[in-house]
Amino acid sequence: RIEKYLNNVKYVMSNIDADLDMCPVCGDTVSGYHYGLLTCESCKGFFKRTVQNNKSYTCSESQDCRIDKTQRKRCPFCRFQKCLRVGMRLEAVRADRMRGGRNRFGPMYKRHRALKQQKNALLQSHGLKAEYTPDLISPPTRTPFNFTNININTTPSDTITSDLHTQTHSGYSFYQNEPRHESPQYYHVSPLGALYSPVHAMAVIGDCSGIPGIPQAQCSGSFSAQGPALPHLLVEFLRCELDELQVRSKIIGRLEQMQGEGGSGGYGATHMYLMVDQMLFYIVEWARGSVFFKELKVSDQMKLLHHCWCELLVLDMVSRQLQHGRQGSLVLVTGQEVDLPALVSPAGPLLRTLVQKGQDLVESFRKLQVDRNEVVCFKFLILFNTDVKHVENQSFVENVKEQVHRALLEYTLCAYPQFLDKFDKLLLCWSDLCALSTLAEEYLCSKDICGEVPCNNLLNELLHAKHHSM
DNA sequence: GTAGCCTTGAGA
DNA sequence: TCTCAAGGCTAC
């Protein structure tokens, strides 16, 4: 009886939880999970009718009509586009119209519920209110959405998918790699099906991907323009950031000065090492002025910096490529762009690997839509590394690391509710970053041993400090 | 055509 | 047995 009572409570709570949500399409009350995400009853019905009957709509305006509860009937074209954009799944509409039962979204819904509860508990524990501003997610872009301008990397299973208006009853099983006869239910699939396939769409709530540089935070979820701001700690971290343009102009000035002094001519390897040295100078300056870090004893500060300078350097490079970089080129702190093939072709195997792995990491970051706030958290996670030995105030470092973890988790859950596992994936990226940093340090050490790294500078000192401590 | 309520049925 | 996300029905 107790178990039944608890189950009832759980059921009622989950309904209350759903009731508190608003449909990401029109803002009406959510009635449950429908076709991949929490929506209202009317959008569920609308989506079903559209897909089942191969409806084709046109928009009399400019294909960016506002869709809310009162106006959702006005433009079915824009309503359907919004359904797709927020993540409703064409594949979840059954081509065989079989009733009842379950589909493979079940575990996803379950996982989403659990994470939602976790998120709410986390927000409550931080005194934040989980609020939802549904129509802020629409439209994420003014670009008209159509079937032809989507560039998808097709997978083998996509090759038999088809256009919604021609072959929606292709009979292709949603259960990938299963022949039709093995599955009791068949699903509508179109090229969009691939776009919203489990591979691409962790989306169970609104999607603001596609707006470069603008996180979901500014579109929907718990952090709205008016709602609770970023986690307090993150705001503190952002305050510690150095002004990028100022740093750039100072570094350019310093390099020009050194060039004038005859220290380095042109833009060869020496120039690069001097630039790295300058980057390190500002990394140290950032750390020394940063919250928490400045509270540590200088000896502890040095130990932490000696351990992580290269990771911070790599993160700085990667985040710059993320922000300004283009395919096939490397953007330097000075704003100059270096052609990667030209850089790599005369290079040795170590530098080639380094460049390749760097590009891979940038790509991973890009795919994950890593934003500036997450990079800032990363910097503190790197700085407060609990693996560093002989730190006097170890408990302080551990405590800060834990706080940064929490802030990052809180931020990703609230700013990117459609990427519920973003935090985990960020941590995986972090380990890739550490591996890349090890490689970079190895490269710099080899160059230092060859005498290519200019002496008496910070880069030199940090390279030596690491060696001496080992 | 819309949307609220009903029925169904696989899976927990 | 219960749950809940599918499809169905029907008043509007």
Side-chain angles (χ1 to χ4, degrees):
Chain A
R1 282 173 67 182
I2 291 168
E3 193 182 345
K4 197 171 175 181
Y5 169 77
L6 287 173
N7 278 336
N8 279 339
V9 169
K10 206 172 133 193
Y11 177 54
V12 169
M13 289 304 284
S14 70
N15 280 340
I16 289 170
D17 194 32
D19 285 342
L20 287 172
D21 276 318
M22 292 155 108
C23 173
V25 181
C26 69
D28 200 353
T29 310
V30 155
S31 66
Y33 287 92
H34 306 296
Y35 309 111
L37 72 159
L38 287 166
T39 72
C40 68
E41 198 63 24
S42 68
C43 288
K44 165 200 155 189
F46 169 76
F47 189 77
K48 180 185 69 177
R49 286 193 300 277
T50 303
V51 180
Q52 279 183 342
N53 304 322
N54 292 340
K55 295 277 185 196
S56 176
Y57 308 117
T58 50
C59 176
S60 56
E61 302 291 325
S62 49
Q63 302 189 341
D64 62 353
C65 303
R66 184 183 169 82
I67 305 296
D68 59 26
K69 193 181 171 183
T70 55
Q71 300 186 72
R72 65 191 175 198
K73 285 194 225 175
R74 283 195 185 173
C75 182
F77 178 90
C78 291
R79 189 182 188 184
F80 187 57
Q81 299 312 325
K82 194 169 176 187
C83 286
L84 295 171
R85 202 166 57 225
V86 299
M88 289 183 84
R89 307 285 192 86
L90 293 163
E91 323 89 277
V93 180
R94 297 170 188 165
D96 64 355
R97 299 201 167 196
M98 187 184 165
R99 300 169 80 184
R102 287 274 188 276
N103 61 21
R104 69 175 278 180
F105 289 114
M108 186 174 86
Y109 296 149
K110 200 176 165 185
R111 203 169 58 240
H112 180 238
R113 269 200 195 92
L115 280 160
K116 225 160 94 73
Q117 282 184 352
Q118 196 184 335
K119 171 187 149 186
N120 287 342
L122 198 67
L123 287 172
Q124 275 174 12
S125 72
H126 283 71
L128 292 163
K129 188 172 174 286
E131 62 172 40
Y132 189 61
T133 46
D135 215 47
L136 285 172
I137 61 168
S138 171
T141 169
R142 292 267 161 188
T143 310
F145 188 93
N146 60 48
F147 293 136
T148 51
N149 66 4
I150 299 164
N151 179 19
I152 328 165
N153 295 324
T154 52
T155 61
S157 60
D158 294 328
T159 55
I160 54 166
T161 61
S162 55
D163 188 275
L164 175 64
H165 301 287
T166 54
Q167 295 177 47
T168 45
H169 290 74
S170 63
Y172 176 64
S173 168
F174 179 57
Y175 296 85
Q176 284 184 351
N177 305 322
E178 280 179 28
R180 179 182 176 144
H181 65 273
E182 283 178 21
S183 172
Q185 294 163 359
Y186 308 107
Y187 299 88
H188 295 269
V189 177
S190 79
L192 287 167
L195 185 67
Y196 291 99
S197 73
V199 178
H200 298 272
M202 310 310 289
V204 279
I205 296 190
D207 180 9
C208 272
S209 56
I211 320 176
I214 300 180
Q216 178 85 8
Q218 288 162 29
C219 306
S220 74
S222 295
F223 304 121
S224 67
Q226 300 81 23
L230 301 168
H232 172 71
L233 206 57
L234 189 44
V235 177
E236 287 296 317
F237 292 167
L238 289 167
R239 279 204 192 109
C240 303
E241 287 293 281
L242 300 179
D243 184 278
E244 194 190 337
L245 288 176
Q246 263 185 27
V247 170
R248 176 184 295 180
S249 62
K250 281 180 184 172
I251 291 181
I252 292 172
R254 181 75 187 118
L255 288 173
E256 279 173 358
Q257 189 192 348
M258 283 191 279
Q259 212 171 324
E261 287 166 3
S264 130
Y267 294 101
T270 311
H271 177 87
M272 293 296 248
Y273 295 129
L274 289 173
M275 192 176 63
V276 169
D277 175 61
Q278 285 299 302
M279 288 168 78
L280 288 170
F281 177 85
Y282 286 101
I283 284 173
V284 172
E285 185 163 298
W286 159 80
R288 285 174 57 197
S290 283
V291 62
F292 299 131
F293 194 79
K294 58 185 173 193
E295 290 170 38
L296 285 166
K297 277 187 177 175
V298 174
S299 55
D300 279 352
Q301 289 184 345
M302 288 194 45
K303 278 173 198 144
L304 292 176
L305 274 172
H306 282 164
H307 191 273
C308 72
W309 62 271
C310 198
E311 284 168 33
L312 290 170
L313 186 73
V314 169
L315 179 63
D316 186 68
M317 301 273 272
V318 167
S319 63
R320 185 168 302 104
Q321 308 319 308
L322 209 60
Q323 211 180 341
H324 310 291
R326 287 188 302 179
Q327 197 76 33
S329 70
L330 180 76
V331 179
L332 306 177
V333 68
T334 51
Q336 296 159 304
E337 240 178 293
V338 177
D339 187 44
L340 276 177
L343 179 77
V344 162
S345 59
L350 191 55
L351 184 59
R352 271 204 291 273
T353 314
L354 198 58
V355 169
Q356 184 55 53
K357 287 198 181 294
Q359 279 182 295
D360 292 347
L361 191 63
V362 171
E363 196 47 41
S364 303
F365 269 48
R366 194 162 279 148
K367 274 186 188 156
L368 250 182
Q369 296 176 43
V370 176
D371 67 34
R372 182 172 171 247
N373 299 328
E374 289 156 345
V375 169
V376 170
C377 284
F378 258 148
K379 285 167 76 172
F380 278 85
L381 278 180
I382 290 170
L383 191 58
F384 287 87
N385 191 327
T386 48
D387 295 335
V388 181
K389 291 186 178 76
H390 313 301
V391 171
E392 264 183 67
N393 207 343
Q394 182 73 20
S395 59
F396 181 80
V397 175
E398 277 167 13
N399 187 273
V400 172
K401 185 190 168 182
E402 209 177 297
Q403 286 192 55
V404 183
H405 255 117
R406 263 211 303 275
L408 181 60
L409 174 66
E410 189 182 312
Y411 174 73
T412 54
L413 283 174
C414 298
Y416 296 90
Q418 80 278 27
F419 287 125
L420 291 166
D421 56 352
K422 190 173 188 188
F423 178 74
D424 297 333
K425 289 190 169 163
L426 282 173
L427 292 187
L428 283 176
C429 272
W430 183 24
S431 59
D432 289 344
L433 190 139
C434 292
L436 183 61
S437 157
T438 308
L439 206 64
E441 219 174 306
E442 207 178 298
Y443 175 76
L444 288 170
C445 276
S446 69
K447 293 294 163 187
D448 187 40
I449 290 165
C450 297
E452 287 182 34
V453 177
C455 296
N456 301 323
N457 64 23
L458 189 58
L459 172 60
N460 213 253
E461 185 192 316
L462 289 168
L463 280 169
H464 287 205
K466 193 82 173 254
H467 281 180
H468 293 153
S469 66
M470 280 196 295

